[in-house]
Amino acid sequence: SQPVVAVQEEQIGGHEKTLKAHTESKPQELLEMNGHAPVPHSYDYDLIVIGGGSGGLAAAKEAAKYEKKVMVLDFVTPTPLGNSWGLGGTCVNVGCIPKKLMHQAALLGQALQDSQKFGWEFTEEVKHNWMTMTEAVQNYIGSLNWGYRVALREKKVTYENAYGEFVGPHTVKATNKRGVEKLYTAERFLIATGERPRYLGIPGDKEYCISSDDLFSLPYCPGKTLVVGASYVALECAGFLAGLGLDVTVMVRSILLRGFDQDMANKIGEYMEEHGINFIREFVPVKVEQIEEGTPGRLKVTAKSTTGNQVIEGEYNTVLLAIGRDACTRKIGLDKVGVKINEKTGKVPVNDEEQTNVPYIYAIGDILQDRLELTPVAIQAGRLLVQRLYAGSTIKCDYVNVPTTVFTPLEYGACGYSEENAIQKFGEENIEVYHSHFWPLEWTVPSRDNNKCYAKIICNIQDNERVVGFHVLGPNAGEVTQGFAAAMKCGLTKEQLDSTIGIHPVCAEV
């Protein structure tokens, strides 16, 4: 016969129901409701964070401030080519940080050309050394990895370079790279595992192609490169590779920058084409073959039209896949603890407090369903979550009017609605778009790219012409957008914008 379990004279039930009550922390709640002090826990930790990226580290360090016992599990599964990296997540190791540094390398190349028009004279041949750049970038990233480890140690957060997966209620298994397994329990868990690049699932993709996970530490210059995809990752990488003087082709399945304002996206595409980047539109690769090995070697790519039966072939040294990213949620034992995920996308639905359907398990960052995939968003959400859990705060993460910048050769900063989304939300008759082309002063003397930079704001006529969308295409777009984002958080209107005096002569003045 099965035991019947009661807590404070309230019957919970037999074995299965008791287990269910345990996963939902029910016995605990019943005791607390009846005015009893919480049962002293025998959990190893107050909080275990799975994932040592931007969100996970921010949350772990915040929790340590409140004297909580915290553990971070972080493990990088190597790429198909065998690359892995240190603590800090995608942004630090294979994302925003190396991307912006390599974008800067490309901008400096342009600045060198411009400088001659400004009177700088130099005779030596100008060429770029890939290895010098990559080594410098990797050295900087290495210093960041080390800094994170030191910070965790100083804050007494336990860090393990091990793969975390749920094995039962309040319990994770951590497996290190030698395959040694350990079990840990915690009162609460935070999933912050992020995403990894997607592959095409065609012959030769994992054997011969690289992703952004490989590019920033590539031990040789990639040479003639085919970038597959139209994501911001695809366009940013294509942009800086071309800026370093390489022959770059971008193969696009349909539209550029899906989810971003299409008016802006198309202007970016035009600018990149005018600057020597080839675009093959409405084609997808169906096969990648190696013609010869080497650093770089030679690859043959066969691609098929998305609209007809046409097949084309091309030869490249490197093929970079940037077709999207998948949430790392399918192999961490979520089914063992009953955490629901979107079966199609692998994303985790959460409430407005980042709580999953299992009350003691939370999730933040790129794995969340219907949330922005941006490092600062994950950091903000992680800190605020911990302050609510351990410091009595009630402030929730605000996912509205989050600014972002795409570091294409012509930088694109945005905050708020795209034109398409604004029309959908407010109706075409209720929005007004103000826009302007401009020519940065620093581009006039080298006489390049007149009328390529562009700014527009989208206003809601019904709400006092409040600015609901801000878009700028031009140098330093990120620096420009950040300030206007603060104004939009304060409810900026067109009238207030008009009454703000510009700083002359700068791009933001437009």
Side-chain angles (χ1 to χ4, degrees):
S1 67
Q2 297 233 335
V4 171
V5 176
V7 177
Q8 299 297 345
E9 295 172 16
E10 184 168 326
Q11 190 175 325
I12 291 179
H15 173 259
E16 269 180 26
K17 285 182 178 165
T18 308
L19 203 64
K20 184 172 186 291
H22 174 58
T23 41
E24 292 169 4
S25 301
K26 273 278 165 25
Q28 180 62 19
E29 282 165 30
L30 287 169
L31 285 174
E32 285 167 10
M33 269 167 24
N34 294 337
H36 289 256
V39 183
H41 280 125
S42 52
Y43 293 129
D44 303 326
Y45 291 92
D46 295 307
L47 177 69
I48 291 180
V49 178
I50 304 179
S54 303
L57 288 176
K61 289 189 281 195
E62 191 68 25
K65 279 187 196 169
Y66 306 113
E67 308 287 302
K68 296 296 165 188
K69 200 172 175 204
V70 186
M71 169 180 253
V72 172
L73 296 173
D74 186 64
F75 189 86
V76 180
T77 306
T79 72
L81 299 184
N83 289 314
S84 63
W85 45 87
L87 187 60
T90 294
C91 172
V92 165
N93 293 283
V94 289
C96 338
I97 298 289
K99 171 267 299 285
K100 178 91 188 288
L101 290 171
M102 291 192 178
H103 170 65
Q104 175 64 10
L107 292 182
L108 288 169
Q110 179 68 64
L112 271 175
Q113 289 175 36
D114 289 359
S115 72
Q116 292 177 291
K117 292 277 175 61
F118 281 96
W120 287 97
E121 294 172 6
F122 45 87
T123 49
E124 70 271 20
E125 180 195 2
V126 175
K127 62 182 204 298
H128 184 263
N129 185 315
W130 175 271
M131 285 316 297
T132 305
M133 173 187 71
T134 311
E135 239 164 79
V137 167
Q138 289 303 320
N139 286 344
Y140 175 64
I141 291 170
S143 75
L144 293 177
N145 299 146
W146 175 249
Y148 285 125
R149 295 192 69 155
V150 170
L152 290 182
R153 198 158 53 229
E154 281 172 355
K155 291 186 164 63
K156 300 189 170 54
V157 173
T158 308
Y159 159 62
E160 279 214 21
N161 180 200
Y163 189 91
E165 54 186 309
F166 290 98
V167 290
H170 291 274
T171 310
V172 287
K173 176 175 80 176
T175 311
N176 71 13
K177 54 178 175 286
R178 290 188 301 282
V180 178
E181 298 177 0
K182 290 181 191 161
L183 293 182
Y184 297 104
T185 60
E187 184 183 6
R188 292 189 178 97
F189 291 84
L190 176 58
I191 313 167
T193 48
E195 300 185 305
R196 294 290 291 273
R198 187 178 302 153
Y199 281 79
L200 283 162
I202 60 167
D205 65 344
K206 289 189 171 166
E207 293 83 352
Y208 307 126
C209 301
I210 66 169
S211 72
S212 55
D213 281 355
D214 305 294
L215 179 65
F216 302 112
S217 58
L218 201 65
Y220 54 84
C221 178
K224 183 181 176 183
T225 302
L226 174 69
V227 179
V228 180
S231 60
Y232 75 89
V233 179
L235 298 186
E236 287 177 339
C237 293
F240 72 67
L241 290 173
L244 300 177
L246 303 181
D247 177 340
V248 178
T249 301
V250 181
M251 187 176 284
V252 181
R253 185 184 60 188
S254 55
I255 61 171
L256 298 181
L257 294 177
R258 187 180 300 281
F260 288 91
D261 187 284
Q262 284 301 293
D263 180 23
M264 307 307 277
N266 293 330
K267 284 184 161 58
I268 290 170
E270 280 165 32
Y271 184 90
M272 289 174 71
E273 267 185 287
E274 281 164 21
H275 283 256
I277 295 171
N278 313 303
F279 280 80
I280 299 176
R281 290 176 186 270
E282 299 188 328
F283 271 87
V284 289
V286 289
K287 187 166 58 172
V288 180
E289 299 162 283
Q290 190 176 57
I291 301 171
E292 67 175 89
E293 285 184 35
T295 50
R298 276 173 44 229
L299 301 169
K300 183 171 98 170
V301 178
T302 308
K304 187 178 183 301
S305 164
T306 56
T307 52
N309 294 324
Q310 195 190 351
V311 172
I312 55 171
E313 288 180 353
E315 235 182 74
Y316 304 92
N317 298 119
T318 299
V319 177
L320 170 65
L321 301 181
I323 55 169
R325 297 170 64 80
D326 290 322
C328 302
T329 54
R330 298 188 195 271
K331 294 179 180 170
I332 56 169
L334 295 182
D335 50 326
K336 301 270 199 314
V337 279
V339 173
K340 288 195 178 76
I341 64 170
N342 178 323
E343 276 311 324
K344 190 166 177 281
T345 62
K347 296 234 172 189
V348 182
V350 291
N351 64 15
D352 64 354
E353 299 201 357
E354 286 81 42
Q355 190 175 35
T356 69
N357 64 300
V358 176
Y360 66 88
I361 299 176
Y362 298 79
I364 53 167
D366 290 2
I367 60 170
L368 297 191
Q369 185 171 295
D370 306 325
R371 298 281 198 276
L372 294 154
E373 300 178 10
L374 297 166
T375 275
V377 171
I379 292 170
Q380 179 92 322
R383 285 189 184 139
L384 292 174
L385 166 63
V386 166
Q387 287 162 13
R388 289 194 306 273
L389 292 178
Y390 302 126
S393 165
T394 55
I395 300 168
K396 296 172 185 176
C397 186
D398 182 0
Y399 292 94
V400 176
N401 282 340
V402 175
T404 187
T405 296
V406 179
F407 292 96
T408 33
L410 190 57
E411 296 174 16
Y412 167 36
C415 184
Y417 289 92
S418 65
E419 204 171 323
E420 294 83 358
N421 290 352
I423 289 169
Q424 205 181 343
K425 173 129 178 107
F426 305 107
E428 192 151 12
E429 67 286 357
N430 294 322
I431 66 162
E432 189 72 75
V433 179
Y434 298 90
H435 62 125
S436 168
H437 284 94
F438 62 98
W439 198 16
L441 182 67
E442 50 272 40
W443 292 7
T444 56
V445 168
S447 68
R448 65 180 173 94
D449 297 318
N450 191 358
N451 268 346
K452 288 288 177 265
C453 295
Y454 181 66
K456 78 171 176 186
I457 56 163
I458 300 158
C459 301
N460 178 2
I461 298 168
Q462 298 302 321
D463 184 16
N464 199 15
E465 283 213 294
R466 199 166 306 291
V467 179
V468 295
F470 171 94
H471 302 269
V472 62
L473 212 48
N476 307 302
E479 308 295 359
V480 172
T481 305
Q482 185 71 80
F484 287 104
M488 284 175 71
K489 277 285 187 206
C490 300
L492 179 69
T493 63
K494 173 67 163 73
E495 189 186 5
Q496 288 169 330
L497 209 46
D498 288 342
S499 69
T500 303
I501 293 171
I503 299 167
H504 192 66
V506 300
C507 293
E509 168 184 32
V510 177

